[in-house]
């Protein structure tokens, strides 16, 4: 579109007065008012708030703080859409060289990068306009051209206006122009998010401090070392954040560098902080304080100097811009590792065992936290007054770094402020609940402290996590504080609350009753590991009110194998127990029991429990003890980047419910999910569009299905006039062999021949072998592998060559979890002559689509396979059909891959498969059966030929025949189940 008249006039005026405008006496404020403000008004933005929006709803927020040095200055403008920050603009006067000058470019990039939210920002003096990619980490000394995507001179505006407007006009930004543009950029060198960079930095600090402390303090235990390192880092970070807000003298930490005895000097600052803040973060007023022993530590100046210098300009971190939530994300990863001490007292950093088993640490995204908080805490606050709200008790029973408590705290702060401003703000100002900032109202420090202490509670088994949660909440409390007002207040009162009574360390699932009846307690280390927690004595004020009003969070997902030692206790104390239960099941049950009547529950958990056999006790517990209000399914979507877990948000209320509906939201499209992840849309917008009601009676079914009514009706129809697969096969859906040590029992052809040469009798127990990946659709592709099938009770002395082969693995075989002779398979499943030698239908346990094949050669297979010991081409066709795929997609649990969703074809999900009953006395039924069998025989032959074909055009021709045969089989299967065209459309959709 052409440039509007006001831009053309501005360009002309600038051109006429350029000499004056570029003089050093022409100030920046005039540039903004006379040129930059009108420029962005021409792009549709309400600069100056002509529409009279509230502070929270303003489209353009202008930096009004006093001028400070370039290291601390915020950008001049922040542009918002629907309350979300979209981009920054840094304004300069025309005498500043933007094309080649480096300071201004570094400044805008540094601030935007530190927010983590902002991908693009602008630098302008009207004469010049530069667009920067703010994703690469800014480095002092970068040229002005580094990460610059576009540069315009003011004479370009008329010709290039459509280009600028297509990206930065209000209309374009509302249509997600910035996300679309950024997605189209090639990954540029140096792209690293601020949280990833800061994590790397504090991990370096941990190693520096740990090694120095271990070397210089020989009597420190491992626990003391971890505590000292974490506390030192936490205190430095907190004080640095406070410096940026003028609550602490700016550069007070930096000013200690270069003077001897740096740790002693920091200790004096820490002690002053204890006097000022009254927080558990600084429990070291003297050597008798809880952390007073840390004052006696010896730390060399060098590591502390390196840490402190990385916190100040020209480091890339603008601490005023870094949201507290990002610090939580950093610490969540940080807590995944622990400092260990060798016998020689040397420190090293290791991943925690539970993190290693879980495959890493995964931080809950902000959009999930926001949605759960809105639908739990938000519902509690409806129709309340602040006095009523003060009685609400909100808990995260596995709080980690505090992400959910931070989300709840922010929601409460916003709610209280809005209530006070909407109900006679002058009166609440007199009561010191809010204060004027000049441009609006703000909660007082005392009010924020009161809200924090009254409303929020957390528990975590990890002592470091508890300290990080406290740190995060304290930083959130001072996040908006700054300036002389606070300096005056600090002279009169301590700023921070002590959170020791709100955030506690303990095992949310295990109470002191675990020791009942024991005459001898476990040793001290084991007691610390179990870390029992008594809820009633831990939070007596909560249980005087009948329990918590809301429980929120993201519990850990850990299989029962990881906490076998506690299985007996959990089995006795929890209704949801199953031998294969996941830890999150127990957290859900505990959370529900901690709620008072009508209390709200909201968590993001794995969705496995809704279908898996081990989830039935949990399903029963929920059905009988709470009212499920909504399930938001994220299956197939990468909520936790890099993790394969399929998740859902579970919202419930502590009350009884047997009738009515619950709301179900199926997974969004990947496109909408990407908008969600980028912040362009919210979970609420997705649920408003996709949700539908499910009859509450659906929870009475053996597994929970949340399909739409037409899909449910089709599933019911499939089972009519059909037999369950387990009835049809007499219960025979079998799992492959569990060896317990694959490399010992699975051998290649060469090893097989060597053993048989020495010991020909071993042929009795060496069997051709398949893994799940060797089983394709209608085809097995063996890899010249063999299984040493040493079933329970085998006479190993009869096979000396086999025994000699297994001896090299004896130590590891004896360490297996179950009991068997060291040379026996862990779970042979069957004596070899029973099932495996025969013809069978075999399939892998995990696959994107059905992959059922006919094994005609008696292969033995691994525990990544299941099989049906029948030579039945009719059943093979049904299982591989499009209708079969529809059934399994509705029934099987899933597993997320990098690009696709895998279905878990476990035996339990096959058992209910409906096999259409046929009347062989009916010529039509028999005819359809024979047609299906004939087509499957053709399919088996085609797949064999395609596997053997060497020329590409031969493979292509055979593939076309396979696809045509597939379509014929599908059509016959539809006829067998008497599907209507509408039902076929559901299946094929």
């Amino acid at each position: 579109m052409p440039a509007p008249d006001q831009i053309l006039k501005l360009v002309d005026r600038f051109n006429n007065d350029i000499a004056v405008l570029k003089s050093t006496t022409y100030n920046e404020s005039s540039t903004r008012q006379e040129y930059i403000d009108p420029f962005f008004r021409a792009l549709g933005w309400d600069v100056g708030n002509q529409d009279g929006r509230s502070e929270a709803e303003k489209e353009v927020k202008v930096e009004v703080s006093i001028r400070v040095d370039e290291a601390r200055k915020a950008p001049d403008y922040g542009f918002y859409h629907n309350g979300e920050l979209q981009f920054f603009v840094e304004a300069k006067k025309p005498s500043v060289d933007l094309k080649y000058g480096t300071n201004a470019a570094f400044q805008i990039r540094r601030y935007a990068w530190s927010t983590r939210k902002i991908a693009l920002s602008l630098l302008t003096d009207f004469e010049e306009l530069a667009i920067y990619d703010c994703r690469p980490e800014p480095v002092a000394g970068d040229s002005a051209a580094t990460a610059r995507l576009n540069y315009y001179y003011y004479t370009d505006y008329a010709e290039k206006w459509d280009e600028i407007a297509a990206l930065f006009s209000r209309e374009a930004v509302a249509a997600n122009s910035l996300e679309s543009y950024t997605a189209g950029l090639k990954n540029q060198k140096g792209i690293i998010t601020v949280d990833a960079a800061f994590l790397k930095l504090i991990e370096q600090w941990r190693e520096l401090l740990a090694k120095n402390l271990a070397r210089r303090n020989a009597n420190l235990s491992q626990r003391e070392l971890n505590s000292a390192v974490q506390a030192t880092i936490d205190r430095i970070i907190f004080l640095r954040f406070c410096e940026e807000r003028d609550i602490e003298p700016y550069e007070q930490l930096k000013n200690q560098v270069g003077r001897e005895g740096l740790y002693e000097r920091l200790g004096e600052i820490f002690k002053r902080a204890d006097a000022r803040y009254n927080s558990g973060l600084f429990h070291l007023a003297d050597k008798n304080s809880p952390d007073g022993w840390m004052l006696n530590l010896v730390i060399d100046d060098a590591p502390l100097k390196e840490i402190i210098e990385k916190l100040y300009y020209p480091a890339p971190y603008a601490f005023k811009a870094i949201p507290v939530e990002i610090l939580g994300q950093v610490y969540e990863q940080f807590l995944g590792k622990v400092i260990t001490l060798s016998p020689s007292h040397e420190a090293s950093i290791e991943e925690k065992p539970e993190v290693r088993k879980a495959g890493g640490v995964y931080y809950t995204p902000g959009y999930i936290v926001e949605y759960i908080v809105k639908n739990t805490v938000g519902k509690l606050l409806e129709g309340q007054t602040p006095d009523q709200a003060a009685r609400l008790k909100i808990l995260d029973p596995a709080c980690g770094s505090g992400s959910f408590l931070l989300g709840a705290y922010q929601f409460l702060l916003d709610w209280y402020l809005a209530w006070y401003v909407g109900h006679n703000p002058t009166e609440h100002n007199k009561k010191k609940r809010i204060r004027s900032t000049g441009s609006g109202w703000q909660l007082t420090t005392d009010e924020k402290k009161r809200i924090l202490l009254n409303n929020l509670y957390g528990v975590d088994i990890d002592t470091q996590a508890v300290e990080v949660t406290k740190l995060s909440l304290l930083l959130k409390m001072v996040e908006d504080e700054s300036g002389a007002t606070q300096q005056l207040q600090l002279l009169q009162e301590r700023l921070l609350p002590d959170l020791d009574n709100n955030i506690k360390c303990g095992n949310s699932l295990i109470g002191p009753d675990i020791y009942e009846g024991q005459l001898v307690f476990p040793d001290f280390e084991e007691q610390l590991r179990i870390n029992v927690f008594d809820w009633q004595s831990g939070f007596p004020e909560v249980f005087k009110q009948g329990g918590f009003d809301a429980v929120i969070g993201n519990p850990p997902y850990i299989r029962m194998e990881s906490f076998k030692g506690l299985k007996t206790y959990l089995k006795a104390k929890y209704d949801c127990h199953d031998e294969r239960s996941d830890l999150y099941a127990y957290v859900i049950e505990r959370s529900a029991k901690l709620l008072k009547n009508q209390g709200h529950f909201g968590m993001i958990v794995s969705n496995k429990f809704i279908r898996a056999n081990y989830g039935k006790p949990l399903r029963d517990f929920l059905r009988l003890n709470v009212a499920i209000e909504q399930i938001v399914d994220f299956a197939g979507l990468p909520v936790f980047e890099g993790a394969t877990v399929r998740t859902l948000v579970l919202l419930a209320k502590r009350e009884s419910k047997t009738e009515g509906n619950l709301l179900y939201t199926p997974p969004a499209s990947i496109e909408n999910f990407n908008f969600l992840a980028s912040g362009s849309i919210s979970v609420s917008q997705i649920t408003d569009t996709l949700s539908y009601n499910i009859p509450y009676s659906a929870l009475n079914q053996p597994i929970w299905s949340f399909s739409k009514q037409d899909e449910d009706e089709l599933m019911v129809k499939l089972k009519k006039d059909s037999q369950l697969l387990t009835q049809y096969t007499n219960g025979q859906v079998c799992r492959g062999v569990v060896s317990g040590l694959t490399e010992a029992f699975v051998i290649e052809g060469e090893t097989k021949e060597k053993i048989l040469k020495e010991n020909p009798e071993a042929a009795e127990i060496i069997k051709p072998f398949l893994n799940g990946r060797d089983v394709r659709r209608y085809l097995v592709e063996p890899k010249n592998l063999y299984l040493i099938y040493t079933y329970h009770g085998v006479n190993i002395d009869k096979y000396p060559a086999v025994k000699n082969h297994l001896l090299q693995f004896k130590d590891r075989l004896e360490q297996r979890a179950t009991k068997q002779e060291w040379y026996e398979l862990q779970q042979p499943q069957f004596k070899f002559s029973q099932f495996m030698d025969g013809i069978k239908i075999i399939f892998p346990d995990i696959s994107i689509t059905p992959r059922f094949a006919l094994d005609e050669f008696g292969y033995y297979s691994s525990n990544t396979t299941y099989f049906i010991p029948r030579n039945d081409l009719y059943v093979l066709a049904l299982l591989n059909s499009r209708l079969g795929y529809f059934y399994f997609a509705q029934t099987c649990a899933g597993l997320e891959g990098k690009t696709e969703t895998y279905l878990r074809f476990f035996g339990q999900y096959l058992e209910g498969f409906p096999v259409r009953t046929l009347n062989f006395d009916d010529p039509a039924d028999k005819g359809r059966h024979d047609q299906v069998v004939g087509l499957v025989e053709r399919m088996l032959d085609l797949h064999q030929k395609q596997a053997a074909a060497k020329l590409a055009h031969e493979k292509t021709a055979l593939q076309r025949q396979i696809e045509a045969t597939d379509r014929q089989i599908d059509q016959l299967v539809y006829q067998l189940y008497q599907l209507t065209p509408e039902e076929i459309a559901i299946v094929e959709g």
Side-chain angles (χ1 to χ4, degrees), residues 311-414:
L311 293 173
Y312 290 90
Y313 191 89
Y317 308 102
F319 282 95
K320 193 170 184 179
I322 298 176
V324 175
E325 290 78 7
I326 284 183
L327 191 68
Q329 295 176 34
V330 170
Y331 264 114
E332 195 85 18
Q333 298 291 326
F334 184 80
L335 294 175
K337 295 179 181 177
V338 66
I339 304 165
T340 60
L341 282 172
S342 69
S344 59
H345 213 258
E346 292 180 354
S348 58
I349 314 298
E350 294 181 2
E351 199 168 49
K352 291 177 179 176
E354 62 270 26
V355 172
R356 190 164 54 249
K357 289 176 182 176
V361 176
Y362 303 101
Y363 189 82
T364 311
Y367 56 84
I368 297 291
V369 174
E370 178 186 347
Y371 187 75
I372 289 175
V373 168
K374 176 183 175 182
N375 285 278
T376 50
V377 180
K379 288 187 176 181
L380 289 170
L381 290 169
E382 290 175 0
Q384 300 290 294
T385 66
D387 289 342
Q388 292 170 320
R391 294 193 288 272
L392 297 177
K393 307 299 181 184
I394 299 153
L395 168 74
D396 183 344
C399 61
S401 68
S403 60
F404 275 88
L405 292 177
L406 274 177
Y409 190 29
Q410 185 63 62
F411 192 94
L412 287 163
L413 294 176
D414 293 342

Side-chain angles (χ1 to χ4, degrees), residues 79-327:
F79 286 76
Y80 292 75
H81 176 64
N82 286 340
E84 291 291 327
L85 181 61
Q86 302 295 316
F87 62 95
F88 287 126
V89 173
E90 174 61 15
K92 298 296 180 186
K93 54 186 178 180
S95 60
V96 178
D97 181 3
L98 302 187
K99 189 169 187 179
Y100 298 107
T102 60
N103 288 345
F106 179 64
Q107 181 184 335
I108 185 69
R109 289 178 54 211
R110 179 175 182 261
Y111 207 93
W113 180 76
S114 292
T115 69
R116 199 187 190 277
K117 296 179 179 180
I118 307 303
L120 303 178
S121 282
L122 299 171
L123 178 62
T124 186
D125 57 3
F126 187 79
E127 180 188 16
E128 303 168 273
L129 176 68
I131 302 173
Y132 281 95
D133 182 353
C134 298
R135 297 173 302 156
E137 181 179 358
V139 178
D142 280 345
S143 75
T146 302
R148 189 165 65 199
L149 299 171
N150 244 321
Y151 173 87
Y152 304 94
Y153 199 57
Y154 76 100
T155 54
D156 298 327
Y157 294 159
E159 181 183 349
K160 301 286 188 179
W161 185 255
D162 58 341
E163 198 173 283
I164 298 168
L167 194 53
F168 288 103
S169 71
R170 183 187 181 281
E171 182 181 4
V173 170
N176 299 313
S177 61
L178 301 181
E179 290 85 355
S180 300
Y181 180 81
T182 306
L185 293 174
K186 293 181 179 178
N187 283 333
Q188 302 210 0
K189 184 179 179 182
I191 289 183
I192 180 173
T193 57
V194 64
D195 51 328
F198 198 63
L199 172 64
K200 187 177 179 181
L201 185 66
I202 64 171
E203 284 185 329
Q204 291 170 357
W205 297 351
R206 172 168 54 192
E207 188 168 4
L208 274 173
L209 287 174
K211 290 184 174 180
N212 190 258
L213 276 162
R215 186 171 63 251
R216 303 283 276 130
N217 303 267
N219 294 324
L220 273 183
S221 70
Q222 184 169 303
R223 281 194 303 277
E224 290 168 341
L225 178 60
N226 275 279
S227 181
V229 169
Q230 172 114 29
T232 303
I233 292 173
D234 289 353
R235 289 163 186 159
I236 289 172
I237 288 174
F238 178 81
L239 292 171
R240 180 67 185 89
F241 266 76
C242 288
E243 283 185 20
E244 206 67 37
R245 287 153 179 80
D246 293 323
I247 301 171
E248 288 287 321
Y250 185 60
E251 294 191 342
Q252 69 165 339
L253 298 176
K254 184 180 179 181
N255 291 337
Q256 310 308 312
V257 173
R259 303 164 69 184
E260 289 187 12
L262 183 50
Y263 183 65
E264 289 81 359
R265 293 181 181 281
L266 290 176
E268 291 303 313
I269 294 174
F270 294 162
K271 285 194 284 184
R272 288 200 299 272
D274 187 29
R276 297 178 72 179
Y277 297 117
N278 187 31
S279 165
L281 183 61
F282 297 100
H283 264 329
L284 31 62
D286 54 52
K287 293 179 181 179
N288 295 318
S289 302
D291 289 344
W293 60 273
M294 293 186 189
L295 295 172
N296 295 322
L297 296 173
V298 178
I299 306 178
D300 291 328
D301 289 353
L304 291 170
K305 177 177 182 289
E306 182 172 340
I307 289 169
I308 291 171
E309 287 182 340
K310 292 286 177 66
L311 293 173
Y312 290 90
Y313 191 89
Y317 308 102
F319 282 95
K320 193 170 184 179
I322 298 176
V324 175
E325 290 78 7
I326 284 183
L327 191 68

Side-chain angles (χ1 to χ4, degrees), residues 519-804:
L519 297 177
V520 180
F521 277 22
D523 63 41
F524 185 59
E525 288 299 322
E526 179 65 7
Q527 290 182 50
L528 287 175
R529 188 186 72 81
I530 297 173
N531 198 7
V532 301
F533 183 70
D534 187 333
W535 285 95
Q536 298 289 332
S537 61
F539 300 118
E541 72 282 7
V542 173
F543 291 98
K544 283 179 184 177
Q545 295 182 199
F548 289 95
D549 296 277
V551 182
I552 55 179
N554 174 18
Y557 312 157
I558 303 173
R559 291 296 299 273
M560 177 62 85
E561 289 86 347
S562 300
F563 46 101
K564 285 184 176 180
L566 302 175
K567 187 185 289 188
T568 302
Y569 176 87
L570 294 170
K571 184 176 182 179
K573 298 293 181 179
Y574 288 87
D575 297 329
C576 70
H577 175 79
D578 182 273
E579 294 300 307
R580 293 168 293 170
S581 286
D582 197 296
L583 194 66
Y584 70 81
Y586 300 96
V587 177
I588 291 173
E589 179 175 335
R590 167 64 73 189
S591 298
K593 290 177 177 177
L594 291 171
L595 282 171
K596 64 167 59 170
N597 189 39
Q598 301 296 305
H600 287 269
F601 170 94
M603 284 187 175
I604 181 167
V605 296
S606 164
N607 77 351
K608 289 181 184 177
F609 81 90
I610 65 175
R611 292 181 177 178
N613 282 350
Y614 75 73
K616 187 177 187 306
L618 177 58
R619 294 194 295 271
D620 290 342
F621 172 83
L622 290 171
R623 179 172 53 81
L624 296 172
N625 292 278
V626 302
I628 295 177
E629 296 182 317
Q630 185 175 7
I631 289 175
V632 185
D633 205 339
F634 286 95
L637 299 171
V639 172
F640 298 103
E641 188 176 348
T644 57
V645 63
R646 295 165 65 89
T647 56
L648 57 78
V649 168
L650 179 65
L651 299 171
K653 198 172 181 181
R654 187 70 193 271
E655 65 179 6
S656 177
K657 182 174 180 176
T658 56
E659 299 177 343
N661 298 313
L662 66 91
L663 198 63
Y664 175 71
T665 308
S669 68
I670 191 66
E671 180 183 16
N672 278 336
F673 176 79
N674 290 336
F675 283 131
L676 175 65
S678 71
S680 300
I681 60 175
S682 66
V683 178
S684 293
Q685 288 171 288
I686 288 177
T687 58
D688 289 347
T689 303
L690 298 180
S691 298
Y692 52 85
N693 287 322
I694 297 290
Y696 210 76
S697 58
L699 302 186
N700 296 323
Q701 300 302 313
I703 63 170
W704 288 357
S705 171
F706 302 117
S707 303
K708 289 185 177 179
Q709 186 174 351
D710 55 359
E711 293 173 349
D712 278 342
E713 289 173 355
L714 178 53
M715 290 287 282
V716 171
K717 178 175 179 175
L718 295 181
K719 294 175 182 178
K720 186 181 179 182
D721 299 326
S722 296
Q723 281 184 290
L724 300 182
L725 184 64
T726 47
Q727 295 172 329
Y728 187 84
T729 63
N730 297 318
Q732 295 171 352
V733 178
C734 311
R735 191 186 184 194
V737 172
V738 179
S739 71
L741 188 62
T742 300
E743 61 188 285
F745 294 100
V746 178
I747 59 176
E748 295 181 346
E750 185 178 343
T751 304
K752 170 205 166 192
E753 295 304 324
K754 181 180 177 182
I755 290 174
L756 292 184
K757 187 174 181 180
E758 299 176 21
N759 186 187
E761 293 84 0
E764 297 173 352
I765 58 168
I766 297 181
K767 304 294 180 180
F769 183 74
L770 293 173
N771 282 302
R773 59 179 172 270
D774 303 327
V775 181
R776 317 311 299 176
R777 194 162 174 268
Y778 290 113
L779 181 71
V780 293
E781 297 180 318
K783 299 292 189 299
N784 193 29
L785 295 176
Y786 296 86
L787 175 70
I788 296 174
Y789 196 77
T790 47
Y791 52 90
H792 296 341
V794 67
N795 179 8
I796 195 64
D797 292 327
K798 184 179 176 182
Y799 313 109
V802 171
K803 184 176 182 180
N804 186 56

